[in-house]
Amino acid sequence: MLYVLSKAWGLKRFFLYTAGFFIFFICITPCLATYNFEGTPEQDELVEVTSGTVKGGLYVDGGEGLGPTPYVQEFNIPGDSVTWAKIYVGIWGGNEEKTGTLDINVNGNSFESVELEGTGDKGDNEDQNPSIYCAGHGIYWVAYDMGTALSTGPVKVEAETSGDIDGRIYGIVLAAVYEDKEGQDTRYWVEEGNINLHDKGRSEEASSTHDEAYADFSGKVDVDKYKTANLAAVYLCGSPGLGDSLYFNDEQLSDGENSNDIANSKSYFDLKFFDVLDFLAEDDNELRFQRDDEDYLHPVFAALSLGTEEEGSSDLIVSGVTLPVLYAGQENIIKANIKNIGRDSAYGFQAALYADNEIVSTASVSSLSSGKSKTIDFNWKPGRSGEHVLRVSADYTNRKKELCEINNWNIPFLANIIDLTPPEIKIDSPLDGSSVSSGYLRVSGTVEDTSRSITVDVNGQKALLADKRWSVDIPVAPGPNKIVVSAVDGTNNTGKEFILVTGISSGSGNNESFVSGGEREHVNRKVNAEPVSSTIPVYRSDIHKKDAVFPGFYGELGLIFAALFLRDKKRGKQV
């Protein structure tokens, strides 16, 4: 049993002031979690850790994506008191053999270090701590049972790793069941684990694929009694563009943007919320995670909460937007503050950032109490520079029934996107290091840039540009030639690329390439050799020839003069 002791207090002083402090502890769960590549504690389904009914609700929140330690996450639990709570930390170990430690601090109180041992040095499943779930190639999901030690209101969690493991943290999640004397009757289920859904891998290290995982919310449900049904799901290791899907009672769910790429975060952490009231069954509701095209996908958490009251007394507004300097072609973080000015809490809604009337980023909000605010992050990579009209919607799916449905937007504003990225040039033809016929040569390739205004020239000659492709004919002299391609965008960012080719005169039998290896050298790379001139080399064959014919004559003449000098010197001494 692990006890949470404040590092700032000694043991003696701690016992003198026990009336002012809670003793935090981790409860031992019935099943023993050990490392398993396919999943733990079960290989195909998450396991239930709590369920029941409460006059109040179930709070689930977390984030923010893979990042270094120390990693800080802040929460705000609504209601009057907490009856059950768990804190979850996702960690990237690097591989299943590396070891390390995890330390967390909750509202200034520190937990005892947790050892992350994976398979151990001998591959003998060293991780025997029931609060640790390790699967795949060192993916950890660590659960801290807080019992009733947490209070409603702000909660600050700080996690830090050390040791041989990679140690970066995917995210921190807090799940809490709370009582609220003015709240609704809520039925809830919480399930956890760590299941490794995977392909065979690039080297086919796995003998088979692992394609599906489940979460069963067992028990009979009075469907007519409940007016809301909110589902929360957490994934680790998901990748955008690699399809995966989620089904509730065999009905495919959508995150508001699409239904075929649910785990689509660029930071390998996804906390998604869904309204499943229309799909609710009277008995044993089932959630199915499906891998589809993902290489690796780890479902680690699922929660379902049913409420007896219709949502309609909340009211969501955008109270502010913090806009940094925005750069084209780069990831930018735009912060928006969402506030609930209604009478009741709002659960499981999604905000969106629009640029020129198109959604460019979304963010999920698990819950927002009456009178409370929450700052959310939008990640946006503008495709071009210049001015864009931006605005934020607090509930862009319009799934929440609110006191006022027309105040979810902020006032649109203009944002100027700065372009500091030079054009990216690719030379398709000719190949670097190749031999070509002297005369005129067609040079062609592509150019990528966020600017709409681009010019391309090759050795000072303007190229013809159509869409993203360019081409031009340039003269090539016999011998070595350097071909330099320059591209300038609308904000004078310049990109350069060059290749070296050898011009072969008509009738020459020399087909040897001037550059061996054929690897292109970037202009901004430092090289030892001086640039090769594109002019025709002048070979001083006449001088070389004289040196070869007359060396003997010059040598003999020198010997004659030396002999005469010695003779005259000798005669001088005799006189």
Side-chain angles (χ1 to χ4, degrees):
M1 183 177 294
L2 300 176
Y3 292 87
V4 176
L5 302 177
S6 174
K7 291 182 177 178
W9 296 79
L11 185 61
K12 181 178 179 180
R13 186 174 296 178
F14 173 78
F15 281 112
L16 290 176
Y17 293 93
T18 50
F21 290 91
F22 287 108
I23 298 177
F24 292 90
F25 55 89
I26 298 177
C27 295
I28 302 300
T29 54
C31 53
L32 185 63
T34 61
Y35 168 79
N36 188 296
F37 179 80
E38 299 294 341
T40 181
E42 301 291 336
Q43 295 187 18
D44 295 310
E45 63 180 353
L46 302 177
V47 296
E48 182 181 297
V49 290
T50 188
S51 63
T53 58
V54 66
K55 185 174 178 60
L58 172 66
Y59 171 88
V60 179
D61 200 3
E64 296 286 337
L66 192 67
T69 63
Y71 192 106
V72 178
Q73 187 72 43
E74 296 184 359
F75 306 92
N76 198 320
I77 305 176
D80 300 322
S81 61
V82 177
T83 63
W84 177 92
K86 268 196 173 185
I87 293 173
Y88 299 90
V89 183
I91 305 162
W92 168 225
N95 64 51
E96 61 269 41
E97 298 177 357
K98 293 183 178 181
T99 61
T101 59
L102 169 65
D103 293 275
I104 73 165
N105 183 290
V106 182
N107 287 345
N109 296 286
S110 297
F111 277 78
E112 184 177 320
S113 297
V114 172
E115 299 298 325
L116 306 175
E117 299 181 352
T119 61
D121 295 337
K122 299 180 181 179
D124 51 0
N125 292 341
E126 289 293 331
D127 247 334
Q128 299 291 319
N129 191 318
S131 66
I132 299 174
Y133 305 109
C134 184
H137 294 301
I139 308 300
Y140 289 91
W141 186 244
V142 182
Y144 290 85
D145 193 335
M146 304 299 296
T148 58
L150 290 182
S151 300
T152 58
V155 176
K156 182 178 180 179
V157 181
E158 181 174 338
E160 188 167 5
T161 58
S162 59
D164 296 332
I165 58 174
D166 178 281
R168 284 175 291 175
I169 291 178
Y170 290 107
I172 301 175
V173 173
L174 171 61
V177 178
Y178 63 89
E179 292 181 333
D180 186 342
K181 61 184 179 182
E182 296 182 357
Q184 62 181 327
D185 292 332
T186 299
R187 187 172 179 182
Y188 60 87
W189 295 259
V190 177
E191 306 208 355
E192 68 186 32
N194 186 354
I195 302 172
N196 176 24
L197 302 181
H198 61 83
D199 200 352
K200 288 186 177 182
R202 294 180 179 87
S203 59
E204 295 197 353
E205 71 273 13
S207 59
S208 61
T209 64
H210 193 185
D211 299 326
E212 294 181 348
Y214 300 88
D216 292 323
F217 307 107
S218 59
K220 293 188 176 297
V221 175
D222 184 353
V223 176
D224 295 331
K225 177 181 178 180
Y226 296 104
K227 308 302 180 183
T228 61
N230 295 312
L231 172 72
V234 177
Y235 300 84
L236 306 182
C237 304
S239 299
L242 296 179
D244 69 283
S245 48
L246 186 64
Y247 296 84
F248 186 81
N249 293 333
D250 293 327
E251 297 287 346
Q252 189 169 4
L253 303 180
S254 171
D255 67 353
E257 292 184 71
N258 60 75
S259 57
N260 297 314
D261 191 9
I262 301 297
N264 56 9
S265 169
K266 295 179 180 179
S267 54
Y268 307 105
F269 174 89
D270 290 274
L271 170 57
K272 295 294 180 71
F273 299 92
F274 306 90
D275 182 351
V276 295
L277 181 63
D278 294 339
F279 311 136
L280 200 61
E282 294 181 352
D283 194 12
D284 294 336
N285 290 274
E286 180 184 75
L287 181 66
R288 183 172 87 250
F289 304 89
Q290 193 162 297
R291 179 183 63 85
D292 297 341
D293 299 325
E294 287 276 6
D295 294 325
Y296 291 96
L297 185 63
H298 286 246
V300 293
F301 177 91
L304 177 65
S305 62
L306 311 178
T308 55
E309 297 180 5
E310 289 187 0
E311 295 180 351
S313 298
S314 63
D315 194 2
L316 303 173
I317 64 170
V318 181
S319 59
V321 178
T322 302
L323 197 67
V325 178
L326 302 176
Y327 297 98
Q330 300 181 24
E331 292 287 349
N332 301 274
I333 297 179
I334 298 173
K335 296 182 178 293
N337 189 266
I338 309 299
K339 186 174 183 180
N340 182 2
I341 60 175
R343 296 191 300 268
D344 297 332
S345 297
Y347 302 95
F349 61 93
Q350 289 188 309
L353 171 67
Y354 288 75
D356 303 325
N357 293 321
E358 293 185 3
I359 294 177
V360 294
S361 182
T362 62
S364 298
V365 180
S366 60
S367 64
L368 190 58
S369 302
S370 173
K372 299 294 184 180
S373 299
K374 183 170 185 177
T375 299
I376 56 177
D377 291 346
F378 294 112
N379 294 301
W380 181 36
K381 186 177 181 179
R384 64 176 179 85
S385 58
E387 289 188 338
H388 294 264
V389 177
L390 301 185
R391 58 178 180 157
V392 174
S393 172
D395 177 29
Y396 85 95
T397 60
N398 201 30
R399 300 297 293 269
K400 300 290 103 179
K401 296 179 180 178
E402 304 176 59
L403 294 174
C404 180
E405 296 288 356
I406 61 174
N407 62 350
N408 288 158
W409 298 86
N410 68 317
I411 299 175
F413 57 92
L414 281 177
N416 185 44
I417 312 302
I418 299 173
D419 182 11
L420 296 179
T421 305
E424 182 179 344
I425 303 166
K426 182 179 179 182
I427 304 174
D428 294 333
S429 179
L431 296 178
D432 190 19
S434 62
S435 296
V436 299
S437 297
S438 59
Y440 275 88
L441 173 68
R442 171 63 58 90
V443 183
S444 61
T446 58
V447 61
E448 296 278 352
D449 194 73
T450 57
S451 175
R452 292 178 176 177
S453 176
I454 306 174
T455 59
V456 178
D457 71 71
V458 181
N459 285 2
Q461 297 194 39
K462 189 173 182 179
L464 178 64
L465 184 63
D467 194 14
K468 296 180 180 181
R469 297 201 61 83
W470 54 266
S471 63
V472 67
D473 294 333
I474 64 168
V476 173
N481 290 259
K482 183 177 181 179
I483 301 175
V484 180
V485 182
S486 300
V488 182
D489 64 18
T491 53
N492 291 322
N493 297 308
T494 302
K496 288 189 177 182
E497 187 70 76
F498 76 82
I499 60 173
L500 301 173
V501 298
T502 301
I504 305 301
S505 299
S506 178
S508 174
N510 180 15
N511 291 321
E512 183 180 356
S513 295
F514 181 77
V515 178
S516 62
E519 183 176 353
R520 183 177 303 155
E521 192 78 53
H522 290 277
V523 171
N524 60 356
R525 186 181 300 170
K526 293 182 179 180
V527 294
N528 295 325
E530 291 291 328
V532 180
S533 173
S534 60
T535 58
I536 301 174
V538 177
Y539 297 100
R540 302 298 300 276
S541 57
D542 53 339
I543 296 176
H544 290 215
K545 195 174 206 180
K546 290 177 182 179
D547 291 343
V549 173
F550 296 109
F553 170 76
Y554 292 141
E556 292 175 2
L557 188 61
L559 289 174
I560 293 172
F561 279 114
L564 291 174
F565 174 77
L566 291 174
R567 185 193 65 182
D568 292 341
K569 186 175 183 182
K570 185 176 181 181
R571 287 179 178 177
K573 287 182 179 181
Q574 289 176 350
V575 175

